[in-house]
Amino acid sequence: MITTSVLAKKIGVPTDTVRHYTRIGLLKPERMKSNGYKIYRHSDAVRLGFILAAKKLGLTLLEIKQVLHEAEKGNSPCPLVRDIVAQRIQENNHKIKYLQQLQKKMQKAQEIWKGMENSMPDGYSVCHLIESVAENHFCA
């Protein structure tokens, strides 16, 4: 049985991380009757390691909670994990595509701007650099 600070040091996370995971129910320590301190078991250290591994794989704390809940019910959480990761891959592919398009726009803008002088806002223009590459021009 170990305290919050010992568990945090053992796993290599800040004590606030252990406290937060405890507050949201991912870790479930016992309480010492004599002083009310939270005491963690070896299984809590294993569980914390699992939580950190799941986070590194891209799962949110809510998703991790769902996975742990499935396991606690005696069910295999593997189908849920497969679904979550498949969804995340799809989301990441969309984000990557968007970022690649954005990168191209930024590089093109940077190239256009090389020959442009700086200018001051004049009531009609705020920054002529951005306005020079804007896809939509709005007129008042």
Side-chain angles (χ1 to χ4, degrees), residues 5-71:
S5 60
V6 172
L7 175 60
K9 185 178 268 190
K10 180 178 181 176
I11 301 297
V13 297
T15 54
D16 286 344
T17 299
V18 174
R19 288 187 185 109
H20 178 67
Y21 292 170
T22 300
R23 238 184 340 271
I24 65 173
L26 290 175
L27 296 174
K28 299 173 183 175
E30 295 177 12
R31 287 206 178 261
M32 289 182 64
K33 292 180 182 173
S34 59
N35 58 17
Y37 285 5
K38 293 178 180 106
I39 299 296
Y40 296 88
R41 299 170 301 279
H42 173 72
S43 60
D44 292 309
V46 171
R47 189 173 177 119
L48 180 54
F50 172 81
I51 293 165
L52 297 173
K55 280 185 55 78
K56 285 182 182 177
L57 194 56
L59 276 71
T60 66
L61 293 179
L62 179 59
E63 291 165 339
I64 294 168
K65 197 172 201 174
Q66 292 168 338
V67 169
L68 291 170
H69 183 68
E70 280 299 307

